[in-house]
């Protein structure tokens, strides 16, 4: 499974759902923002009404905050949901070189990729810390963060 091709996309084409109180997740968002000058990625915390509704709509548990989700082409009539390692690899691939180099690991089966993902996910609060509340983004990036309730979207499956 190679996933969707790298887009030549308008701003906000992909919606990244992340744990808003996780130190690692917040560092990841801080890493992506300056490397995404066209604003291809937009963001919603899993704890937000939008994040919760998307996760629930596609069969996930909105109370479980250990999964990183990416809604690829979220404005289209055929969005695709990626999670865990596949979502992370898609983000890196989309950022381009040199960040796309770990994409070579995409040839590995999901079981292997997600075992590595889960190893880090189980330890992320201990290693990177946890905030009491979701952090507010830098005002320069505020328009890329969403917390509204998701509009009705086509049905899909978590992949």
């Amino acid at each position: 499974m190679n996933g969707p091709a790298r887009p030549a996309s308008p701003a906000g084409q992909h919606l990244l759902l992340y744990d808003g109180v996780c130190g690692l997740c917040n560092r990841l968002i801080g890493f992506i923002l300056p490397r995404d000058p066209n604003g291809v990625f937009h963001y919603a915390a899993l704890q937000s009404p939008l994040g919760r509704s998307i996760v629930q709509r596609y069969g996930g548990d909105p109370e479980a905050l250990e999964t990183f989700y990416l809604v690829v082409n979220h404005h289209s009539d055929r969005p695709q949901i990626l999670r865990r390692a596949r979502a992370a690899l898609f983000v890196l691939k989309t950022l381009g070189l040199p960040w796309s180099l770990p994409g070579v690991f995409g040839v590995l089966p999901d079981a292997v990729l997600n075992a590595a993902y889960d190893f880090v996910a189980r330890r992320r609060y201990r290693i990177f810390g946890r905030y009491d509340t979701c952090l507010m983004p830098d005002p320069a990036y505020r328009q890329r963060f969403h917390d509204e309730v998701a509009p009705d979207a086509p049905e899909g499956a978590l992949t």
Side-chain angles (χ1 to χ4, degrees):
M1 174 176 166
N2 292 333
R6 183 175 174 198
S9 61
Q13 182 171 0
H14 310 302
L15 182 65
L16 193 151
L17 304 176
Y18 67 99
D19 179 356
V21 299
C22 170
L24 174 60
C25 297
N26 279 281
R27 285 181 180 97
L28 175 65
I29 302 307
F31 172 83
I32 296 169
L33 283 166
R35 290 162 181 83
D36 178 24
N38 297 323
V40 171
F41 293 104
H42 278 202
Y43 310 89
L46 288 167
Q47 295 89 338
S48 72
L50 177 62
R52 293 176 60 80
S53 67
I54 290 172
V55 169
Q56 189 169 27
R57 175 178 298 132
Y58 293 105
D61 179 0
E63 300 300 321
L65 301 176
E66 65 274 350
T67 301
F68 172 68
Y69 294 95
L70 182 66
V71 184
V72 177
N73 301 319
H74 78 102
H75 290 300
S76 77
D77 60 350
R78 301 191 79 170
Q80 181 180 2
I81 308 299
L82 301 175
R83 62 181 175 169
R84 298 164 65 196
R86 291 285 171 206
L89 288 174
F90 182 90
V91 169
L92 292 172
K93 179 179 177 182
T94 303
L95 292 178
L97 287 172
W99 317 114
S100 60
L101 293 175
V104 300
F105 294 110
V107 300
L108 296 173
D110 286 350
V112 172
L113 290 172
N114 288 331
Y117 176 94
D118 291 342
F119 179 85
V120 173
R122 281 190 303 273
R123 294 159 179 82
R124 72 188 192 283
Y125 290 149
R126 193 171 349 135
I127 296 168
F128 297 98
R130 178 184 167 101
Y131 300 103
D132 291 331
T133 61
C134 295
L135 297 179
M136 291 300 298
D138 181 300
Y141 298 119
R142 180 64 189 119
Q143 73 280 4
R144 294 191 199 178
F145 289 79
H146 306 282
D147 58 4
E148 68 275 4
V149 176
D152 287 338
E155 289 300 316
L158 291 173
T159 58

